[in-house]
Amino acid sequence: YLPSSVRGASKETTKVFNKVSECFEKSRKLEARVSSDEDLKLSDTLRYYLRDTSAAKDLLYRRTRALADYENANKDLDKARAKNRNVQQEVAVAEQAQQRACEKYEHLSDLAKSELTDFKKRRVGAFRKNLVELAELEIKHAKALNQLYRNCIAQLKEDGRGGKAQAQ
């Protein structure tokens, strides 16, 4: 469909409109590719962050579970001491369970501390790397789009000179 203003236009004007239309169609396709590439790059970044965050969350959950076990072992030890003042064997078993729970909790706390520090460094590094890659990708696409527009302008100028030469 052509608007009424174009229907009555000269052959040269119609050629120009067709060239410009082709240029914009190529531009639209290139912009769609740019959008798709940016979406992929950003979703990769967020997917990586999601996996790392999930691993950190799991570690913190295990640490919290170990703390609850340690608190329960402390309660059991207190009950064993209060209930069985004469039975040292039950108290010794409860003390060993409490000691194991304490060691597990401390081990997971140290592990969590180092993992969270590493997570922060990895996260910053990954975001920086992906943002640099995204910027490079955008520069590449901008150069391609710039070249497309330059080619279109050059072609329009060439067609304009050709039309003037034919008119003379």
Side-chain angles (χ1 to χ4, degrees):
Y1 170 77
L2 293 174
S4 60
S5 61
V6 175
R7 276 187 240 137
S10 70
K11 206 176 207 182
E12 290 299 317
T13 307
T14 305
K15 281 184 182 179
V16 169
F17 283 143
N18 285 335
K19 296 281 184 188
V20 171
S21 174
E22 289 172 13
C23 181
F24 284 140
E25 182 61 25
K26 289 177 184 175
S27 174
R28 184 189 63 79
K29 289 178 181 177
L30 189 58
E31 287 292 337
R33 194 173 327 129
V34 168
S35 176
S36 174
D37 288 351
E38 287 177 351
D39 287 348
L40 287 172
K41 181 54 76 178
L42 291 173
S43 66
D44 285 347
T45 303
L46 293 176
R47 223 176 286 119
Y48 172 80
Y49 182 71
L50 178 67
R51 281 193 309 268
D52 240 15
T53 303
S54 179
K57 187 172 83 172
D58 291 343
L59 177 64
L60 291 175
Y61 174 77
R62 289 194 315 270
R63 180 181 173 269
T64 303
R65 191 65 241 149
L67 177 61
D69 292 344
Y70 177 54
E71 289 173 350
N72 287 337
N74 281 337
K75 289 177 187 174
D76 291 344
L77 178 61
D78 289 342
K79 285 179 187 176
R81 284 183 179 155
K83 184 175 163 184
N84 301 316
R85 293 176 196 237
N86 298 333
V87 183
Q88 290 300 321
Q89 186 178 6
E90 285 186 35
V91 172
V93 169
E95 284 176 348
Q96 288 174 352
Q98 186 248 4
Q99 184 63 31
R100 282 192 305 273
C102 179
E103 289 170 359
K104 182 178 180 182
Y105 172 71
E106 288 174 356
H107 171 71
L108 284 173
S109 292
D110 293 341
L111 182 65
K113 195 179 292 184
S114 67
E115 282 291 318
L116 290 175
T117 303
D118 289 346
F119 167 66
K120 189 189 318 182
K121 289 177 186 174
R122 280 193 318 266
R123 181 188 59 182
V124 169
F127 269 93
R128 181 177 290 132
K129 175 183 166 267
N130 284 330
L131 288 175
V132 166
E133 289 174 357
L134 178 65
E136 290 171 350
L137 187 68
E138 287 178 352
I139 289 169
K140 179 184 119 186
H141 285 304
K143 285 179 180 178
L145 195 58
N146 185 14
Q147 188 60 44
L148 173 71
Y149 289 145
R150 285 176 185 265
N151 291 343
C152 289
I153 291 170
Q155 192 174 16
L156 287 170
K157 283 181 179 178
E158 186 178 303
D159 288 349
R161 282 192 215 113
K164 288 179 184 175
Q166 288 173 0
Q168 292 175 355

